[in-house]
Amino acid sequence: QVQLVESGGGLVQAGGSLRLSCTASALRFDAYIMGWFRQAPGKEREEVSRISTRGVGTYYADSVKGRFTISRDNAKNTLYLQMNSLKPEDTAIYYCAAGKAWSLSALPPSQYLNWGQGTQVTVSP
């Protein structure tokens, strides 16, 4: 059974940093595009970032560009999201997800196949 387990969330002051991790099991990790999503209370889930199978290509939402960095370690079956200069509006539950497509841009958010349970990130003013 495929499992994606996020960790690294927590409470941080505005301007601070957190690094999220997502460890995959029962999944050929290096065959999947990996993404980070977030959902704040009362808001729709939004895609934050995604990374290609070998980590060469990345995508960032405008709201996090220049502050967040996605990376992956295929040898460890682990996805990361380094979040710097955090803002209160970054407060949300963060989820990792795995999907397959022939290119990074060809994977609609709705077609990610596997999801983690989420980790809470709270940024205080």
Side-chain angles (χ1 to χ4, degrees):
Q1 182 179 352
V2 173
Q3 274 196 315
L4 300 176
V5 180
E6 301 96 337
S7 61
L11 173 64
V12 64
Q13 287 188 329
S17 298
L18 285 174
R19 188 175 84 152
L20 305 183
S21 298
C22 169
T23 301
S25 58
L27 179 81
R28 189 187 159 189
F29 187 72
D30 62 1
Y32 285 79
I33 292 168
M34 297 299 296
W36 285 102
F37 291 74
R38 67 186 181 186
Q39 187 165 21
K43 295 188 177 181
E44 292 189 355
R45 184 176 61 195
E46 65 169 333
E47 186 175 21
V48 173
S49 182
R50 63 171 66 179
I51 188 167
S52 62
T53 56
R54 288 183 289 178
V56 175
T58 57
Y59 157 83
Y60 296 94
D62 287 343
S63 56
V64 305
K65 204 172 291 184
R67 301 187 298 121
F68 290 11
T69 302
I70 191 170
S71 62
R72 65 190 296 163
D73 185 338
N74 286 347
K76 295 182 179 179
N77 284 6
T78 302
L79 173 73
Y80 302 99
L81 185 68
Q82 177 67 43
M83 305 186 295
N84 298 329
S85 302
L86 283 161
K87 304 175 181 179
E89 51 263 44
D90 294 319
T91 295
I93 299 175
Y94 283 71
Y95 301 89
C96 66
K100 281 193 171 182
W102 65 274
S103 76
L104 192 64
S105 60
L107 179 62
S110 61
Q111 292 188 18
Y112 278 84
L113 300 172
N114 305 99
W115 293 82
Q117 83 290 346
T119 186
Q120 176 72 46
V121 171
T122 303
V123 185
S124 63

